[in-house]
Amino acid sequence: MVGDNNAASAGDIAGGHTVRRYDQELAKLRGIILDMGQRVIEQTQAAVAAVVDGEETQAYRVLDREPQIDFLSLDADEEIFRVIARRQPTAVDLRIVLALSRIAGDVERAGDKAVRIARQSLALRESGIGQGGIPSDALKELLRRLDDHACCMFERSIQAVAGFDVELALGVFEDEPRLFDASDEVRDILGQEDLAGFTPRQIVCLLTSAHALERIGNHASNIAEQVIYVAEGKDIRYRNREILIETLRRDRAS
């Protein structure tokens, strides 16, 4: 009996070590994703400054820093493959790994959108918009507002990943209408015939930048969906947002 007890204790210790190592591996993976997310926010803000205020150095800084996010994305992929190969996760553990893989992909693609905005700023520069940026205070304000909404959503989604926080994820969904409204306002003002000082090429660059910001907000929503997938075990993609928010809040309150 003593031998059996010793064997059981040794097994528990070994199992405990395995669990701790697995937790450490997942923590490392999440750390990579959080690092990527913070860099994407910084890249987006710099790219928008390049468009709105004509800060050319910010655009080149975004382009120079793009490989950092790409390398982190590769690191995340490697960690995911390593976890699957070593742990062969099942059920809940597999759901976490798959969700983190999808999240890493959305973060990387959001970084690509920041680069797209930076490139549009350089195209605007080539088209004649120089130091001082866009010659329209109203449009500057609308683009800054759209940038604020997109970055706030994205930052909140990344914070939600840190603890698979459903409340933060729901907050991302609740911010979607403001993002879409801000995006529509930019399109509306660029569609005005009396918008003086802009060539068709410049309008295309500005519309492309606005669309990229809206897509960054969309990536934030995708990330929030994966957070809920892990926390609640529910695939909520393609669900009506208003009904979803109401249902999840009611379920959590009961």
Side-chain angles (χ1 to χ4, degrees):
M1 292 293 294
V2 173
D4 290 342
N5 288 337
N6 288 340
S9 298
D12 290 342
I13 292 171
H17 287 169
T18 299
V19 169
R20 283 197 295 273
R21 284 198 299 271
Y22 178 64
D23 288 343
Q24 289 167 357
E25 289 167 356
L26 288 181
K28 181 179 180 181
L29 176 55
R30 272 197 280 187
I32 293 171
I33 291 172
L34 296 179
D35 190 4
M36 289 173 64
Q38 186 57 46
R39 290 172 188 266
V40 167
I41 294 166
E42 293 169 359
Q43 289 278 83
T44 302
Q45 292 172 336
V48 171
V51 169
V52 171
D53 300 317
E55 296 182 17
E56 189 176 12
T57 56
Q58 293 279 43
Y60 286 116
R61 187 172 297 138
V62 171
L63 297 179
D64 288 343
R65 291 176 176 175
E66 178 189 12
Q68 296 175 0
I69 295 176
D70 292 337
F71 291 146
L72 285 169
S73 178
L74 293 174
D75 288 344
D77 287 345
E78 186 63 30
E79 284 300 315
I80 290 164
F81 294 145
R82 187 177 293 119
V83 168
I84 292 174
R86 286 180 179 174
R87 308 301 175 198
Q88 298 181 351
T90 58
V92 174
D93 290 339
L94 181 59
R95 189 165 73 223
I96 293 172
V97 174
L98 290 177
L100 289 174
S101 177
R102 291 168 181 163
I103 289 168
D106 270 296
V107 175
E108 192 273 332
R109 286 189 289 275
D112 290 342
K113 304 305 185 297
V115 170
R116 183 179 300 171
I117 296 168
R119 289 188 174 133
Q120 298 310 309
S121 77
L122 296 176
L124 287 169
R125 183 89 172 184
E126 290 174 1
S127 71
I129 294 181
Q131 192 68 30
I134 302 168
S136 167
D137 290 339
L139 184 55
K140 282 184 176 183
E141 178 60 29
L142 289 176
L143 283 169
R144 288 193 183 105
R145 189 183 308 165
L146 179 56
D147 175 42
D148 286 343
H149 288 312
C151 286
C152 284
M153 287 177 66
F154 198 82
E155 184 171 23
R156 185 173 292 173
S157 72
I158 293 300
Q159 291 172 346
V161 173
F164 292 122
D165 190 313
V166 173
E167 283 299 319
L168 286 173
L170 290 175
V172 174
F173 298 151
E174 290 171 334
D175 284 343
E176 285 178 324
R178 287 183 283 274
L179 174 78
F180 298 145
D181 288 346
S183 183
D184 287 343
E185 286 182 309
V186 172
R187 281 193 288 268
D188 288 345
I189 195 172
L190 286 171
Q192 295 175 9
E193 293 182 2
D194 61 346
L195 192 62
F198 290 103
T199 66
R201 182 188 177 191
Q202 290 167 349
I203 290 175
V204 168
C205 290
L206 292 166
L207 284 172
T208 301
S209 298
H211 183 257
L213 283 169
E214 184 178 339
R215 289 295 299 138
I216 289 171
N218 294 154
H219 287 303
S221 294
N222 292 345
I223 292 167
E225 288 175 348
Q226 293 305 310
V227 168
I228 291 175
Y229 175 59
V230 170
E232 299 289 326
K234 300 175 182 177
D235 189 342
I236 60 165
R237 292 175 293 177
Y238 318 119
R239 295 270 300 276
N240 177 279
R241 285 288 193 248
E242 291 182 5
I243 296 174
L244 173 67
I245 293 169
E246 180 182 351
T247 301
L248 285 176
R249 289 207 185 282
R250 184 177 62 245
D251 291 346
R252 291 173 64 78
S254 60

